[in-house]
Amino acid sequence: MKEPLSAAAHVIQLALTPIFLLTAVGSLLNVFVTRLGRISDRIHNLKIGGRHNPHEMRRLRTRSRILDVAVTLAAAAGAMTCCAAITLFFGVLRDSGHAAILFFFFGGGLLCAVGGLACFVTEITLAGRTLRDEDDADDHGRTVVSPVAPDDRR
C-alpha cells in the first residue's frame, strides 16, 4: 500500500518541478507589461503635450517592439513549461517514454525564457541610452524633450 502512495508523490514532484519556471516566467511577464505601460504612457504624454520629438518617438516604438517580442517569448516559455509538466505527469502515469517530448517542451520553455530576457536587456539598454542622450544634450546646452515620463524618474 505504501508503494502506490510513494509513486504518486514522485509523479507530483516531477510534474511540479517545471512549475517553478512557470512562476518565474509569470514574474517576467509582469515586468515586461509594466515596461510596456510606461512606454505607452510616455507616448501619450508626448502627443498630448505637443512635444513631439521624432527621435524619441522612434526609440519608444523600437523599445515597444522589443518588449512585444519579449512578451511573446515569455508567453511561449510559459506554455511550453505547462506542456512539459503535463508530459511529465501523463508520461509517468502511462509508464511510457516521452523523454523527447519532455525535453522539447521544457528545453523550449527555457530557450524562450532566455530569449525573452535577452529582449528585455536590449530594451533596458535602449532606455538607458535615451537617458544618456538627453544628459549629453543638456551638457551641450541644447534643449531636449525628456525621454522619460516623470513617473519613470523614481
Side-chain angles (χ1 to χ4, degrees):
M1 184 81 143
K2 197 170 189 177
E3 175 102 13
L5 184 59
S6 177
H10 183 67
V11 168
I12 291 170
Q13 284 177 326
L14 286 176
L16 286 179
T17 301
I19 302 307
F20 292 112
L21 175 61
L22 188 61
T23 301
V25 167
S27 297
L28 283 174
L29 281 168
N30 188 32
V31 170
F32 297 160
V33 169
T34 300
R35 299 286 302 176
L36 275 171
R38 288 185 178 241
I39 291 169
S40 174
D41 290 345
R42 180 63 186 150
I43 290 171
H44 182 71
N45 288 338
L46 284 174
K47 287 182 177 180
I48 286 181
R51 301 170 299 179
H52 184 68
N53 179 340
H55 177 69
E56 182 178 358
M57 291 297 281
R58 272 193 311 276
R59 194 162 278 172
L60 288 169
R61 268 189 242 104
T62 301
R63 287 176 56 199
S64 71
R65 285 186 191 117
I66 290 169
L67 281 171
D68 286 345
V69 173
V71 167
T72 302
L73 287 171
M80 290 181 142
T81 302
C82 287
C83 290
I86 290 168
T87 302
L88 270 170
F89 187 70
F90 287 127
V92 171
L93 284 180
R94 293 180 58 181
D95 198 30
S96 61
H98 288 96
I101 296 170
L102 174 64
F103 286 127
F104 170 76
F105 284 131
F106 194 68
L110 289 173
L111 288 174
C112 287
V114 168
L117 284 171
C119 288
F120 182 63
V121 167
T122 303
E123 188 273 332
I124 291 293
T125 302
L126 270 174
R129 187 180 309 162
T130 301
L131 290 173
R132 288 187 296 278
D133 288 351
E134 178 190 38
D135 189 48
D136 289 346
D138 287 345
D139 288 347
H140 292 89
R142 291 178 285 178
T143 306
V144 173
V145 176
S146 173
V148 180
D151 63 323
D152 278 355
R153 293 181 186 247
R154 292 181 209 162

